[in-house]
Amino acid sequence: MHYVSTRGHAAAQNFSEILLGGLAPDGGLYLPAEYPQVTSAELDQWRTLSYADLAFEVLKKFATEIPQADLRALAHKTYTADVYRNARSGEDAGQITPLSVLEEKDGSKLLLQALSNGPTLAFKDMAMQLLGNLFEYTLAKNDAQLNIFGATSGDTGSAAEYAMRGKKGIRVFMLSPHKKMSAFQTAQMFSLQDPNIFNIAVEGVFDDCQDMVKAVSNDHAFKASQKIGTVNSINWARVVAQVVYYFRGYLSATTSNQQKVSFTVPSGNFGNICAGHIARMMGLPIDKLVAATNENDVLDEFFRTGIYRVRKSAETYHTSSPSMDISKASNFERFIHDLLDGDSERVRALFHKVETEGGFNLAGGPGSDGDEFTKIARFGFQSGKSTHQDRLDTIRDIQQRYNVTIDTHTADGVKVAREYMVPGVPMIVLETALPAKFNETIREALGRDAQRPAGFENIETLPQRFEVMAADVAQVKRLIASHTGL
């Protein structure tokens, strides 16, 4: 399996070669030269597999140069009941991402797929725990070091830091928007005292942090000298790890490969739903992929109109689903590459236009950049938007009807999913986090605190270690260099 850049000017590489990197040297994102296909016979065989074995079966299609015994061992080291705490007991024991029926009405079925059983209580753990083990494995084979440089709007940072803490040869430098995460999210990251973890609070919004990561990634000399890698969703291995739970969700919701399901995915950076797109391209029988946004609705606008219009920092709202407070979806380029039938020169031109003019228009007509908007239906994409009031209403409704508490991002997903349910096609909403991570809004909606798992009762009172910094690329480079000694 070889990987190529969405922008076409980077040499093809294998999975291990792109694992530690992030952006391709030409500024594009890596994709397989061709998506591996899954047969109906394979789907039948996979129905009875454990999550770890299913992960191995999916991963081996993408990481073909890693010995299969090693890859299987990495999957089994990652996906255990010891790592995914809520999968330890009861009827869901060992399932890792258990599926539950939330509501059935008029022949339609709405399900929740639990993805927040990991150590930081968010879906990011599903990929990040694997990534930590893959990094350690690859670095040990090459007696190498890695300095991870990433950005987070809330959950990626803590998931990365918990996955990488104490890992040999790895340091983590994580940017986050200063005072724009929930108190729980902030405490999860900043309370870590591990010497290989460095938290940097940037005076700005998430997109400022993400732009800094891309600027460092595009400084090839600095990236090489400081051995910079990334764990943001531009990292291909993270996306592949997320593909696994789409297969698990489908197989758990169906009894026959002739059945289809749809997924609704709370979406900001387009990484999570991009994994669903890849699963669909591999042959998984997905009917619709519904992107649910919050007030930062750049993706909803595109899927409704064909216009991709990134927002400036001043136009990015700080919302009660803060992990989606993103106005430049960094994984979106992968989908556009597929939408344009792999025309890498056009992809390059369109995303140059994003950087210089703030967006592009594929709706056709005068002044547009193309007319591919009509092709989007072939890929099964739909979208919707949720507001703060929608979140409150949905959290209250789900609690009252089903005695289930959902977090703010999952509420965005449920609200939008209900708009697209059809008889005979189960709609799976990907749960994104436990409600305790966003207690301020849970208290507003329900008049009480969210339940907390053991070990997190007083996390906000722990000592915190972080550095506040302006959105200054040169300054963050100096900080990285001062701690690496490279």
Side-chain angles (χ1 to χ4, degrees):
M1 169 67 69
H2 285 92
Y3 294 85
V4 296
S5 170
T6 52
R7 302 189 185 184
H9 290 182
Q13 299 190 62
N14 66 28
F15 182 88
S16 296
E17 289 169 329
I18 67 171
L19 171 65
L20 305 179
L23 288 177
D26 61 1
L29 303 181
Y30 284 111
L31 276 176
E34 292 183 354
Y35 289 114
Q37 296 300 296
V38 174
T39 66
S40 183
E42 284 178 306
L43 286 178
D44 286 335
Q45 294 166 6
W46 293 358
R47 287 186 178 276
T48 58
L49 295 182
S50 69
Y51 194 93
D53 284 327
L54 177 62
F56 164 69
E57 293 294 336
V58 173
L59 290 167
K60 75 179 185 182
K61 291 179 176 290
F62 293 95
T64 53
E65 81 288 351
I66 296 179
Q68 290 196 8
D70 291 354
L71 198 58
R72 186 188 296 273
L74 286 165
H76 278 267
K77 179 181 179 181
T78 300
Y79 298 110
T80 71
D82 287 335
V83 175
Y84 295 91
R85 65 176 66 218
N86 294 344
R88 292 178 186 169
S89 60
E91 63 181 22
D92 293 333
Q95 291 192 33
I96 308 298
T97 63
L99 201 66
S100 60
V101 177
L102 190 60
E103 63 185 29
E104 294 186 72
K105 185 178 180 181
D106 300 327
S108 300
K109 185 183 292 188
L110 181 66
L111 305 99
L112 280 181
Q113 186 172 4
L115 302 180
S116 59
N117 291 323
T120 71
L121 319 181
F123 82 94
K124 304 292 177 73
D125 291 320
M126 295 304 304
M128 208 66 77
Q129 287 292 314
L130 178 68
L131 204 59
N133 290 327
L134 279 168
F135 279 178
E136 190 173 49
Y137 166 83
T138 303
L139 292 170
K141 286 189 69 173
N142 298 297
D143 191 25
Q145 296 184 50
L146 182 69
N147 292 308
I148 293 169
F149 182 47
T152 185
S153 54
D155 291 329
T156 293
S158 56
E161 291 177 358
Y162 276 72
M164 307 298 168
R165 61 190 306 197
K167 296 287 187 187
K168 185 178 179 181
I170 298 176
R171 300 180 189 87
V172 180
F173 298 86
M174 188 61 60
L175 307 179
S176 60
H178 188 36
K179 296 183 177 180
K180 290 183 172 64
M181 299 186 294
S182 75
F184 190 104
Q185 287 176 308
T186 301
Q188 266 192 316
M189 290 175 56
F190 294 177
S191 64
L192 292 182
Q193 305 295 324
D194 303 73
N196 70 324
I197 303 296
F198 302 89
N199 280 302
I200 305 156
V202 175
E203 294 173 323
V205 298
F206 169 76
D207 292 301
D208 297 316
C209 302
Q210 184 166 261
D211 287 345
M212 292 168 74
V213 171
K214 289 186 176 181
V216 170
S217 293
N218 283 321
D219 184 339
H220 304 308
F222 182 84
K223 183 178 177 181
S225 69
Q226 297 298 319
K227 305 186 187 324
I228 299 291
T230 184
V231 291
N232 275 60
S233 55
I234 57 176
N235 184 297
W236 174 252
R238 256 193 69 185
V239 178
V240 170
Q242 292 175 304
V243 169
V244 178
Y245 53 70
Y246 282 89
F247 278 89
R248 169 58 83 216
Y250 172 81
L251 295 170
S252 298
T254 62
T255 56
S256 159
N257 301 336
Q258 280 65 55
Q259 297 170 278
K260 287 191 172 186
V261 304
S262 294
F263 288 88
T264 296
V265 188
S267 299
N269 220 11
F270 204 74
N272 200 2
I273 200 167
C274 185
H277 164 67
I278 292 160
R280 192 174 187 273
M281 296 293 282
M282 292 172 69
L284 189 65
I286 294 174
D287 185 25
K288 303 297 181 187
L289 288 165
V290 184
T293 74
N294 63 13
E295 292 88 337
N296 297 295
D297 58 352
V298 59
L299 292 173
D300 181 41
E301 181 178 48
F302 175 79
F303 286 114
R304 283 188 296 103
T305 69
I307 297 171
Y308 181 62
R309 180 177 62 88
V310 302
R311 317 299 198 252
K312 297 177 182 177
S313 297
E315 299 174 294
T316 302
Y317 298 104
H318 177 39
T319 78
S320 51
S321 49
S323 298
M324 291 155 56
D325 291 349
I326 298 168
S327 294
K328 185 187 295 182
S330 63
N331 263 286
F332 192 54
E333 186 168 333
R334 287 188 167 112
F335 170 65
I336 294 298
H337 181 270
D338 291 341
L339 182 67
L340 301 180
D341 298 317
D343 186 342
S344 56
E345 288 304 315
R346 247 193 105 204
V347 172
R348 187 182 186 92
L350 288 178
F351 281 88
H352 176 72
K353 190 171 182 181
V354 170
E355 297 303 323
T356 56
E357 301 179 31
F360 53 78
N361 179 354
L362 299 182
S368 66
D369 302 293
D371 59 358
E372 284 84 2
F373 182 56
T374 56
K375 293 170 54 179
I376 287 174
R378 300 182 202 171
F379 295 89
F381 276 98
Q382 295 174 318
S383 68
K385 174 181 175 179
S386 177
T387 66
H388 179 67
Q389 189 59 52
D390 292 327
R391 285 187 279 285
L392 295 178
D393 292 343
T394 303
I395 290 168
R396 288 175 186 138
D397 182 65
I398 296 302
Q399 184 67 50
Q400 291 167 1
R401 288 175 185 264
Y402 310 112
N403 196 30
V404 173
T405 309
I406 56 176
D407 87 288
T408 54
H409 307 74
T410 306
D412 290 333
V414 170
K415 184 265 182 184
V416 174
R418 283 170 156 173
E419 299 168 0
Y420 288 103
M421 292 172 62
V422 296
V425 181
M427 174 66 81
I428 300 174
V429 175
L430 297 189
E431 179 218 35
T432 58
L434 290 192
K437 299 195 75 168
F438 308 96
N439 193 53
E440 299 91 339
T441 307
I442 299 302
R443 190 185 298 120
E444 182 182 358
L446 302 179
R448 60 164 175 78
D449 290 332
Q451 184 178 354
R452 293 195 172 194
F456 292 92
E457 293 86 354
N458 300 301
I459 191 170
E460 293 94 340
T461 66
L462 296 175
Q464 297 187 3
R465 181 171 65 91
F466 64 99
E467 182 169 340
V468 180
M469 181 181 294
D472 184 330
V473 174
Q475 188 177 355
V476 80
K477 285 181 180 177
R478 289 193 296 270
L479 177 72
I480 293 171
S482 71
H483 286 293
T484 63
L486 296 174

